[in-house]
Amino acid sequence: GFSADATRLVTAGQDGRVRWWTITETDLTLAGEATPGAGPLFAAAFAPDGESIVIGGEDRIVRMLRPEAPDEPFPLFEFEQPPGTTPEIESVVFIDGGTLAASCGDRVVLLDATSGRVVCELDRSEITRKTVLGSLTASADGHRLMACGTDSRAHVWDVATGKMLVSLPKHPAWVQGCCLD
């Protein structure tokens, strides 16, 4: 994901590496990378202040790291899953400067980005247990959150209440990405 000022980009990889890049009008330069020992990574986002990066992956732990100390990530939150399930963190997105959303399997939680405390677990009454929500996006005003995934639908929640507002009609196959404006 891009930093709030669009001058940096962060990527997460199956190889367990997180990389951050500096963007200019004419160039993209690798600014740093880390292998935090978390296994394959599937999600990365810059904090709104641009000073921290949040990552998540196969081990179901949301971690925060600082580019100046990339080998010292600290865990914010661990998703606990029922025995026999193996979902991983697929997506993380900041809703505002202090609130982070993370998806793991059919669950989406809102976390305090400083303490890792769960602010709210979003209503999943319209989502089947075997769904993997692979993409998250927040509206620019921070009032809505959208997720989509293997149930072939996109779902929209009210951030303040955690209540689902709508589940869009099914697509013919998985919904891979979503965006709110």
Side-chain angles (χ1 to χ4, degrees):
F2 288 98
S3 60
D5 64 4
T7 62
R8 292 184 290 164
L9 176 69
V10 62
T11 59
Q14 182 82 21
D15 64 356
R17 291 184 193 169
V18 57
R19 294 182 173 134
W20 50 100
W21 312 78
T22 302
I23 304 168
T24 65
E25 288 185 28
T26 59
D27 201 15
L28 179 67
T29 305
L30 181 64
E33 73 176 64
T35 307
L41 299 172
F42 305 115
F46 271 105
D49 65 7
E51 299 298 318
S52 301
I53 297 169
V54 173
I55 57 173
E58 187 176 71
D59 68 354
R60 299 187 305 271
I61 299 173
V62 177
R63 289 181 170 80
M64 187 171 287
L65 62 90
R66 299 184 69 72
E68 68 273 4
D71 296 322
E72 300 173 17
F74 58 93
L76 282 177
F77 177 75
E78 182 173 2
F79 279 92
E80 294 183 22
Q81 294 293 327
T85 63
T86 57
E88 56 267 330
I89 295 170
E90 295 285 345
S91 190
V92 293
V93 65
F94 277 89
I95 298 185
D96 57 35
T99 307
L100 170 72
S103 68
C104 183
D106 65 334
R107 297 174 60 198
V108 178
V109 296
L110 304 182
L111 303 170
D112 177 286
T114 303
S115 69
R117 180 183 58 81
V118 175
V119 175
C120 176
E121 182 158 352
L122 299 184
D123 170 26
R124 60 184 186 199
S125 60
E126 298 291 320
I127 300 171
T128 61
R129 278 280 204 213
K130 294 183 180 182
T131 295
V132 174
L133 297 170
S135 181
L136 291 175
T137 188
S139 62
D141 64 8
H143 294 138
R144 304 284 182 264
L145 184 75
M146 179 182 253
C148 59
T150 59
D151 65 353
S152 304
R153 299 171 80 181
H155 310 278
V156 180
W157 289 270
D158 178 84
V159 170
T161 66
K163 299 292 182 199
M164 187 174 293
L165 298 173
V166 66
S167 287
L168 299 177
K170 282 190 169 197
H171 281 256
W174 292 9
V175 181
Q176 298 287 330
C178 55
C179 181
L180 286 170
D181 193 15

